[in-house]
Amino acid sequence: MEKQKQDDDYRVDMGGVDRQDEPFIIPKRPQTQKPAAPASSSPILPILSYCAASILMTVTNKYCLNGRDFNLNFFLLMVQSVVCILAIQTAKSMNFITYRNFNMDEARKWFPISLLLIVMIYTSSKALQYLSIPVYTIFKNLTIILIAYGEVLWFGGSVGGMALFSFGLMVLSSIVAAWADISAAIGSYGHDSSETAVAISTLNAGYIWMLVNCLSSAAYLLSMRKRIKLTNFKDYDTMFYNNLLSIPILFIFSLLTEDWSSENITRNFPPAEKNSLIFAMIFSGLSTVFISYASAWCVRVTSSTTYSMVGALNKLPIAISGLIFFDAPATFASITAIFIGFVSGLVYAVAKLKQSATKGGLPAPATAVSASSKSMRDGFGSKD
């Protein structure tokens, strides 16, 4: 009796009708609409955030360095590193991000990379101090050429015909940009005036700092790539060690080489602009974290193809921001240089994507990079 009751419990009632002679039809499931993709997966917002972060970082750095008498570059870079460390440590304590705890052996191995980083960011600040944002952005493309041939020597890379064509465009855009700058200086002050000599001397100093920056950027990025393979550092690991190890070095160089007299401090921080300059210095440090997060977000919700093209297209709004915010001379020659530099970035991005496709399909989504290296990502030429 008990067994019969259990059988009844598991029996499916077919309505009391014998249906052995009729085919059994599986009922169709009701169709349901697929849930809409969340807003966080839309590529529009992360792409705009990445572009905005790049512009903010460049503009705030230029604003800090744009003062006629500003000469505390090491101090500015130290403040940015301190703000960055405080920001990512706060984010780690709130479980927003994660990275390794400090390890002396890892710090010792990473220290040479941090030294190269300091050379790179210092020469970058000096070049940006003497050159306009459009010219700085255009000349920064030359780092791509150095890295491409550095990879040929160090990692067995190759340079195709389209990449060579883009390199030619980069060199051409730099020549046009330099000619536009010098022509604008002569047109403003005349051929023989002392102001013209000062302006051209300032430009020449900027070009020299830019050359050193391109060389140091290539050395830093190639060395970091090699070291990351040994240490297996992730995004915020690199960011943490780069900024932490840079702080004491920048502090020492600031004390030893920069003028900390009251007169010079007043010259660097005029009373009327003191608060805005301090805010800009802090904000520029936060912008390094913002650009790191925005780039990681962009990578996460877009393909490598989209991300590479965004990196190339981003050069245009950065250059235009210099024309808007800092009254860089907008002549036919300067606009032509910006356009050629923009096209060279596009051609190079397409060349790298085609090269990746020939190696077995489009590249997989890229991993995030650190803020310090991301801020100089132009050197990689949107390489994932």
Side-chain angles (χ1 to χ4, degrees), residues 170-341:
M170 292 173 191
V171 173
L172 176 62
S173 66
S174 300
I175 294 174
V176 174
W179 173 70
D181 259 2
I182 295 173
S183 299
I186 295 175
S188 299
Y189 304 111
H191 283 274
D192 301 323
S193 66
S194 58
E195 290 87 353
T196 302
V198 171
I200 293 179
S201 176
T202 300
L203 291 175
N204 289 336
Y207 300 146
I208 293 173
W209 281 115
M210 196 73 245
L211 172 62
V212 179
N213 177 250
C214 289
L215 294 171
S216 59
S217 296
Y220 164 72
L221 293 169
L222 290 169
S223 301
M224 185 177 66
R225 177 181 172 183
K226 200 167 188 179
R227 180 61 63 179
I228 283 178
K229 290 184 177 181
L230 300 177
T231 59
N232 197 29
F233 272 12
K234 305 301 181 185
D235 172 36
Y236 290 105
D237 298 327
T238 305
M239 187 176 181
F240 172 68
Y241 276 99
N242 270 340
N243 286 278
L244 186 64
L245 296 177
S246 298
I247 291 173
I249 303 171
L250 292 169
F251 177 73
I252 292 173
F253 272 88
S254 180
L255 285 180
L256 295 179
T257 64
E258 295 178 336
D259 184 3
W260 282 96
S261 64
S262 58
E263 294 82 3
N264 191 58
I265 293 176
T266 303
R267 193 180 304 117
N268 281 271
F269 298 96
E273 303 175 7
K274 181 178 180 180
N275 292 335
S276 59
L277 275 172
I278 293 174
F279 175 79
M281 293 171 72
I282 295 173
F283 186 79
S284 64
L286 292 174
S287 66
T288 62
V289 184
F290 179 33
I291 196 173
S292 179
Y293 176 79
S295 61
W297 187 15
C298 191
V299 166
R300 190 166 59 247
V301 300
T302 65
S303 66
S304 295
T305 305
T306 303
Y307 186 59
S308 297
M309 296 309 294
V310 168
L313 293 170
N314 198 36
K315 303 286 181 64
L316 185 61
I318 291 177
I320 292 175
S321 68
L323 301 176
I324 296 173
F325 294 111
F326 296 100
D327 296 328
T331 63
F332 175 77
S334 64
I335 298 299
T336 301
I338 292 173
F339 177 74
I340 297 174

Side-chain angles (χ1 to χ4, degrees), residues 67-122:
R68 181 179 298 275
D69 298 313
F70 190 86
N71 53 28
L72 298 177
N73 296 60
F74 282 120
F75 175 70
L76 169 63
L77 299 175
M78 186 190 70
V79 170
Q80 291 177 345
S81 294
V82 170
V83 171
C84 184
I85 287 294
L86 292 176
I88 63 174
Q89 186 61 41
T90 301
K92 182 181 181 181
S93 64
M94 299 175 69
N95 295 323
F96 290 154
I97 63 174
T98 181
Y99 54 84
R100 305 182 188 189
N101 294 323
F102 181 79
N103 181 278
M104 184 58 72
D105 184 58
E106 289 180 337
R108 180 180 55 80
K109 293 177 180 178
W110 194 259
F111 186 72
I113 308 299
S114 294
L115 286 178
L116 287 173
L117 171 66
I118 290 172
V119 176
M120 181 184 72
I121 59 179
Y122 179 77

Side-chain angles (χ1 to χ4, degrees), residues 4-74:
Q4 182 179 1
K5 185 177 184 306
Q6 291 178 354
D7 293 340
D8 291 339
D9 290 339
Y10 291 98
R11 182 177 299 142
V12 179
D13 188 3
M14 302 299 291
V17 180
D18 188 3
R19 298 177 181 269
Q20 291 181 356
D21 297 333
E22 297 180 14
F24 179 73
I25 301 175
I26 300 176
K28 294 182 179 180
R29 293 182 178 180
Q31 294 182 352
T32 58
Q33 293 182 347
K34 293 183 179 180
S40 60
S41 65
S42 174
I44 302 299
L45 186 57
I47 288 175
L48 292 178
S49 299
Y50 170 65
C51 294
S54 301
I55 294 173
L56 278 175
M57 173 179 289
T58 306
V59 170
T60 52
N61 283 337
K62 179 63 176 178
Y63 175 77
C64 294
L65 298 164
N66 202 44
R68 181 179 298 275
D69 298 313
F70 190 86
N71 53 28
L72 298 177
N73 296 60
F74 282 120

Side-chain angles (χ1 to χ4, degrees), residues 362-383:
L362 288 175
T367 55
V369 293
S370 69
S372 53
S373 60
K374 185 67 202 74
S375 64
M376 299 298 173
R377 188 180 176 83
D378 291 343
F380 272 124
S382 302
K383 188 190 303 293

